[in-house]
Amino acid sequence: MAKVTVKLAERSYPIDISPKALRSAANLFPGSPRQILIVTNPTVAEHYLQPLLSVLHSHHVEVFNMQDGEEYKSLTTYADIMQQLISAGFNRDCAIIALGGGVVGDLAGFVASTYQRGVDFYQIPTTLLAQVDSSVGGKTAINHPLGKNLIGAFYQPLAVLIDTDCLQTLSARNYRSGLAEVVKYGVIYDAEFFHWLEDHVAELRNRDTAALTYAIERSCAIKAEVVAADERESGIRALLNLGHTFGHAIEAATHYGEWTHGEAVAAGTVIASKLSEVTQKLSSSDFRRVADLLNQLGLPIKAPQMPWQDWLSYMQRDKKVKDGRLHFVLPTAIGSAEVVSNIEHETIAAVITECC
Ligand SMILES: NC(=O)c1ccc[n+]([C@@H]2O[C@H](COP(=O)([O-])OP(=O)(O)OC[C@H]3O[C@@H](n4cnc5c(N)ncnc54)[C@H](O)[C@@H]3O)[C@@H](O)[C@H]2O)c1
Ligand SMILES: [Zn+2]
């Protein structure tokens, strides 16, 4: 079993990582019986709801089984959960558990942050992306018809429980998508971890438990460190967006369906790395290592073709655009990165053409 702590003074919290972690969920709620709402969806519930319910049997547990899909991370679902909490007479001492991927986690976290001005929140992430990224760091949100994650709050959970066994039922595509974020941590922050990933491609592709436990632990530790240093993203936390400005453009251009988030981030990471190479911040051999690792993990390294004007307009819609200028996270070596905003559009356009 591995353990990581997110250090945020009195709001610090543990991340416990192990196979069979679900069985120890009762330890999250010692003492007298609590009102607990589990938010999940049918896909996840099929495998993991009963095991969770059985260890929480001494509590008053309600379940909200939301429909599966990004489109349900919505104001409507938010209102439906609030309705259930109020109807069930849940008070300020209740707790909310997110059991699922990033969609469930983001939505349940936002509910927890606002129900009766904030109630206890716990994350049991079941996708690799949620285990290494969305469940850690306290960003919660729902979508608005005019844009993704436009309504939300910074709201940290009291604990994150990661059961690595849950990853065995994940589709191959979703699993690979999570690996893109794992690679991201190595590229921006930890050369040794990147090297370890290069050495364990086969184990990771086979979802080997020991390799996964280590990869998740390192990823969470890096995210925890970055979040502890910059909870509200006024500085270093922005580095976690490596590949995301390009990735969001790919996701938007393909209407959030054809490409998964991780696939788009992988192709976006290759573009960012190429841009860094072309502007002489990153060596050609480091560029190759980034592209090769993503490729070996089964992720796309070529973006879809679209006109430069489309890229530009999608990128300018990205939340990260400040004072009208495009900001990019560029790796400066394996294990370090910086935010750069003064690149000529012709250079960016040429690099994108090369990477499509
Ligand atoms: N809060 C943050 O910091 C943050 C960071 C990154 C992404 N996000 C958000 O996360 C969301 C994407 O998360 P995701 O990739 O986990 O998608 P998701 O929650 O939609 O899960 C992907 C699919 O896998 C299924 N699933 C989940 N666990 C499973 C399991 N163990 N076995 C089988 N199937 C399982 C889900 O039902 C779903 O169909 C987006 O809404 C994104 O905005 C948030
Ligand atoms: Zn991401």
Side-chain angles (χ1 to χ4, degrees), residues 129 133 181 184 240 244 248 261 265:
L129 177 129
D133 196 351
E181 307 282 4
K184 170 185 87 180
L240 298 175
H244 281 61
H248 288 152
H261 176 70
V265 166

Side-chain angles (χ1 to χ4, degrees), residues 41 43-44 47-48 68-70 73 100-104 106 126-127 129-130 133-134 136 139-140 148-149 166-167 169-171 174 181 223 237 261:
N41 72 29
T43 314
V44 178
H47 304 286
Y48 308 110
D68 189 355
E70 179 73 36
K73 204 175 100 176
V103 166
V104 164
D106 276 16
T126 60
T127 63
L129 177 129
D133 196 351
S134 63
V136 177
K139 280 192 186 175
T140 74
K148 270 190 63 148
N149 298 329
C166 291
L167 301 177
T169 54
L170 210 55
S171 73
N174 267 309
E181 307 282 4
K223 181 142 188 195
R237 188 166 180 170
H261 176 70

Side-chain angles (χ1 to χ4, degrees), residues 4-325:
V4 172
T5 305
V6 183
K7 295 195 182 97
L8 289 164
E10 70 285 354
R11 290 175 300 124
S12 296
Y13 57 94
I15 306 169
D16 287 327
I17 307 154
S18 74
K20 316 267 178 289
L22 209 52
R23 289 185 191 167
S24 60
N27 299 340
L28 298 172
F29 307 100
S32 45
R34 299 274 302 271
Q35 293 174 315
I36 299 171
L37 177 77
I38 299 170
V39 181
T40 187
N41 72 29
T43 314
V44 178
E46 183 193 340
H47 304 286
Y48 308 110
L49 182 59
Q50 275 314 322
L52 181 58
L53 286 173
S54 70
V55 296
L56 297 179
H57 61 86
S58 62
H59 299 277
H60 173 99
V61 181
E62 294 260 330
V63 176
F64 187 94
N65 215 343
M66 65 181 283
Q67 282 174 278
D68 189 355
E70 179 73 36
E71 65 271 36
Y72 300 104
K73 204 175 100 176
S74 64
L75 279 162
T76 309
T77 317
Y78 172 82
D80 290 346
I81 300 178
M82 287 296 177
Q83 178 70 42
Q84 182 164 341
L85 285 165
I86 296 163
S87 308
F90 270 42
N91 58 41
R92 259 205 54 72
D93 299 325
C94 74
I96 295 178
I97 300 177
L99 175 70
V103 166
V104 164
D106 276 16
L107 172 70
F110 184 56
V111 168
S113 77
T114 46
Y115 185 63
Q116 303 213 4
R117 301 197 182 87
V119 298
D120 289 354
F121 178 48
Y122 297 85
Q123 288 265 21
I124 307 185
T126 60
T127 63
L128 183 56
L129 177 129
Q131 295 187 346
V132 299
D133 196 351
S134 63
S135 70
V136 177
K139 280 192 186 175
T140 74
I142 55 177
N143 301 326
H144 185 274
L146 294 179
K148 270 190 63 148
N149 298 329
L150 289 182
I151 303 164
F154 284 96
Y155 196 69
Q156 301 291 345
L158 291 184
V160 181
L161 193 63
I162 296 181
D163 189 326
T164 50
D165 284 349
C166 291
L167 301 177
Q168 300 302 333
T169 54
L170 210 55
S171 73
R173 224 174 149 195
N174 267 309
Y175 175 71
R176 281 198 299 270
S177 288
L179 289 174
E181 307 282 4
V182 173
V183 171
K184 170 185 87 180
Y185 293 115
V187 176
I188 62 170
Y189 206 78
D190 189 341
E192 215 175 293
F193 180 45
F194 189 93
H195 195 239
W196 181 91
L197 291 169
E198 290 176 317
D199 283 346
H200 291 81
V201 166
E203 289 89 336
L204 289 167
R205 289 192 72 133
N206 293 332
R207 307 190 197 187
D208 170 80
T209 298
L212 272 173
T213 304
Y214 181 71
I216 294 166
E217 178 189 358
R218 258 329 280 156
S219 299
C220 287
I222 293 169
K223 181 142 188 195
E225 232 173 283
V226 170
V227 167
D230 177 23
E231 188 181 4
R232 294 194 166 235
E233 198 166 319
S234 46
I236 186 181
R237 188 166 180 170
L239 298 184
L240 298 175
N241 298 318
L242 173 71
H244 281 61
T245 302
F246 299 112
H248 288 152
I250 296 171
E251 286 185 275
T254 53
H255 311 290
Y256 298 96
E258 225 176 291
W259 285 62
T260 66
H261 176 70
E263 289 166 348
V265 166
T269 297
V270 174
I271 301 175
S273 304
K274 190 54 150 182
L275 193 54
S276 198
E277 183 196 359
V278 166
T279 53
Q280 274 146 38
K281 293 176 187 18
L282 184 72
S283 70
S284 298
S285 63
D286 280 353
F287 166 77
R288 272 265 57 90
R289 285 177 70 193
V290 174
D292 285 349
L293 179 57
L294 290 167
N295 188 35
Q296 284 169 20
L297 291 171
L299 286 154
I301 56 171
K302 289 267 180 212
Q305 299 220 351
M306 61 176 150
W308 163 245
Q309 277 312 321
D310 290 7
W311 278 101
L312 192 59
S313 77
Y314 286 123
M315 290 193 294
Q316 280 169 338
R317 266 181 248 168
D318 200 72
K319 277 203 298 300
K320 272 81 195 181
V321 172
K322 285 185 207 125
D323 51 51
R325 291 206 307 194

